[in-house]
Amino acid sequence: MLFILSIFIFVGVLEIVTPYLTRKTTVFGVSIPEPYVQHQQLQIFKKHYSMLVGSIAVAFLLGQVLLLFTSIQEESFVLLSFILLYVLLLISAGLYMFYHIKTKKLKTQENWEAHVKTVYVMDLSIREKDEVLSPTFFALPIIITLALITFTYMNYNAIPDVFATHWNAAGEVDGWTEKTWLSVIEMPLILLGLQISFFIMSKGMKSAKLQLSAQEKEASANRELQQRKYGSWYFAAINYSLTILFVVSHYKTVILKDQTIPYFFPLFIGFIVVSLGGLTLLIWKLTKSNERFDDLHTNETAAADDRYWKWGILYINKNDPSLLVQKKFGVGWTVNLANKWSYIILFVILLPILLTIFK
């Protein structure tokens, strides 16, 4: 139960600070001309968003803590906690849209773009300093999973007619599956889809466009390099920890016929620690490298790309060959929906899941 609470607290804190993690030239998915990034009203919008989300998160958290002193069963507590987490995320999304609209309205009413000089900032030498991990590094997990699938079929006749596929927090089996040619590779197949997606995204990150500020060029370049470097490391950490979790679980239960794996939960905890800890490190690195805009010398600003964004969330630009672009709200990347590879990623991720659902 305490583990579930820790996840809720982490997500809650992340939602509260999200407006302050994004580039300062982007507020609630809206591009802000550099001379206006310190606008008082924008700071008020961010503050109100964080206070509202924080108040709701604290209320939900207190409710869960009080439940710990009741006789509620663990399964019911976990279910309720995840429901509250999803409600919190829905409320956060609603507040984001509310302040997205208000920020666009403020920008239009004060006609900021008419009072600034738009420039295009480029520095081709930055790519020479790029430390993004090579896609080859992401190919090894794919090879391991393909080998596991091959080995599974080589031992198909020795696999039990019914084998475990789900465990509770104590490592006890609470779900079984009948043996078929598809069910015996269900877990590796889902893993393979995720690994291929990581591989494609690693290539996309390598070629992602650089977004530089007109008046904070050095700081913005540093942020770009930091996000790409540590972002690729984070993807790799998630990829390898997922591979360990899935491969060990599949090998022990399907190949070795060991239906009880008491170490499944510790492995899962390890994956969560890697996921949340890696994200924390990434956020910390980016926060340290963010532009400050404390001393503006001109009315220049880098060119904005708002016309290619829908609600500041969906990026659609057929003139941009990039597969990945930085999010306009929060930390991380999103796909360019005008790039055919984005749909290949979605297809690769969803196909194994659909095959297991409709098998």
Side-chain angles (χ1 to χ4, degrees):
M1 292 185 181
L2 293 178
F3 174 68
I4 299 300
L5 281 180
S6 65
I7 294 179
F8 185 91
I9 292 172
F10 180 88
V11 175
V13 171
L14 182 60
E15 289 297 315
I16 292 170
V17 302
T18 293
Y20 300 96
L21 302 178
T22 311
R23 295 173 63 101
K24 291 185 178 180
T25 51
T26 305
V27 178
F28 293 107
V30 180
S31 296
I32 307 299
E34 294 174 36
Y36 295 93
V37 293
Q38 304 288 8
H39 195 287
Q40 183 179 6
Q41 193 61 51
L42 296 178
Q43 308 310 314
I44 292 175
F45 288 166
K46 293 180 182 180
K47 181 179 179 181
H48 286 179
Y49 172 92
S50 296
M51 289 178 62
L52 288 170
V53 173
S55 299
I56 296 169
V58 169
F60 284 177
L61 179 62
L62 289 176
Q64 293 176 81
V65 172
L66 291 176
L67 286 175
L68 291 177
F69 298 95
T70 68
S71 58
I72 187 172
Q73 295 185 349
E74 182 177 354
E75 292 78 9
S76 300
F77 180 84
V78 172
L79 176 61
L80 179 61
S81 295
F82 277 109
I83 290 175
L84 291 177
L85 180 59
Y86 291 140
V87 171
L88 176 63
L89 293 176
L90 286 174
I91 293 174
S92 299
L95 286 172
Y96 163 80
M97 287 304 303
F98 175 75
Y99 284 108
H100 172 76
I101 294 172
K102 289 182 71 68
T103 303
K104 285 185 66 176
K105 184 177 180 181
L106 175 66
K107 179 180 178 180
T108 302
Q109 285 180 338
E110 298 193 0
N111 200 17
W112 291 345
E113 293 183 338
H115 300 91
V116 297
K117 178 182 178 182
T118 300
V119 297
Y120 292 87
V121 187
M122 297 180 62
D123 188 346
L124 299 180
S125 65
I126 294 179
R127 292 197 179 275
E128 299 176 0
K129 307 173 185 177
D130 200 343
E131 298 182 74
V132 174
L133 289 175
S134 169
T136 305
F137 193 79
F138 292 84
L140 180 58
I142 295 176
I143 296 172
I144 293 174
T145 302
L146 290 174
L148 180 64
I149 292 174
T150 302
F151 188 74
T152 300
Y153 280 138
M154 290 173 61
N155 293 271
Y156 182 80
N157 293 331
I159 297 173
D161 292 334
V162 178
F163 56 91
T165 52
H166 195 273
W167 300 263
N168 59 25
E172 301 168 340
V173 180
D174 60 4
W176 303 82
T177 296
E178 294 184 3
K179 180 176 73 171
T180 67
W181 286 97
L182 180 60
S183 66
V184 295
I185 63 165
E186 181 177 309
M187 192 179 297
L189 200 59
I190 294 175
L191 176 62
L192 183 62
L194 295 172
Q195 292 169 336
I196 293 174
S197 299
F198 278 124
F199 178 81
I200 296 174
M201 287 190 290
S202 69
K203 293 181 69 67
M205 192 183 301
K206 195 77 174 177
S207 59
K209 68 178 182 179
L210 299 168
Q211 301 180 31
L212 304 180
S213 301
Q215 303 195 48
E216 287 282 335
K217 182 179 176 180
E218 183 177 348
S220 60
N222 184 45
R223 178 186 170 91
E224 288 285 332
L225 293 172
Q226 293 282 313
Q227 178 156 328
R228 292 155 70 92
K229 173 183 176 180
Y230 292 106
S232 68
W233 289 11
Y234 180 61
F235 277 173
I238 296 294
N239 195 359
Y240 278 85
S241 58
L242 265 179
T243 299
I244 294 172
L245 175 64
F246 275 60
V247 169
V248 171
S249 301
H250 176 82
Y251 184 76
K252 287 288 289 183
T253 56
V254 178
I255 305 300
L256 298 183
K257 310 172 190 177
D258 184 357
Q259 304 300 315
T260 59
I261 47 174
Y263 50 80
F264 174 80
F265 191 62
L267 281 176
F268 179 71
I269 294 294
F271 168 70
I272 294 298
V273 170
V274 170
S275 302
L276 301 186
L279 183 59
T280 302
L281 177 61
L282 177 61
I283 290 172
W284 177 64
K285 287 292 185 180
L286 292 183
T287 302
K288 288 181 61 178
S289 62
N290 207 354
E291 306 101 321
R292 298 185 60 85
F293 295 106
D294 291 332
D295 187 18
L296 299 176
H297 302 286
T298 70
N299 69 334
E300 292 183 342
T301 187
D305 58 355
D306 282 352
R307 63 186 181 279
Y308 300 118
W309 288 86
K310 186 70 172 178
W311 309 303
I313 302 173
L314 304 177
Y315 182 71
I316 309 171
N317 183 1
K318 63 182 181 180
N319 298 318
D320 184 357
S322 300
L323 171 61
L324 298 181
V325 292
Q326 290 185 27
K327 289 181 178 179
K328 274 186 171 287
F329 189 66
V331 173
W333 293 264
T334 187
V335 294
N336 177 8
L337 292 176
N339 189 314
K340 63 181 180 181
W341 284 100
S342 64
Y343 297 97
I344 294 176
I345 290 178
L346 295 175
F347 176 77
V348 169
I349 293 176
L350 292 177
L351 181 59
I353 298 175
L354 293 175
L355 287 175
T356 57
I357 293 175
F358 299 103
K359 61 185 177 182

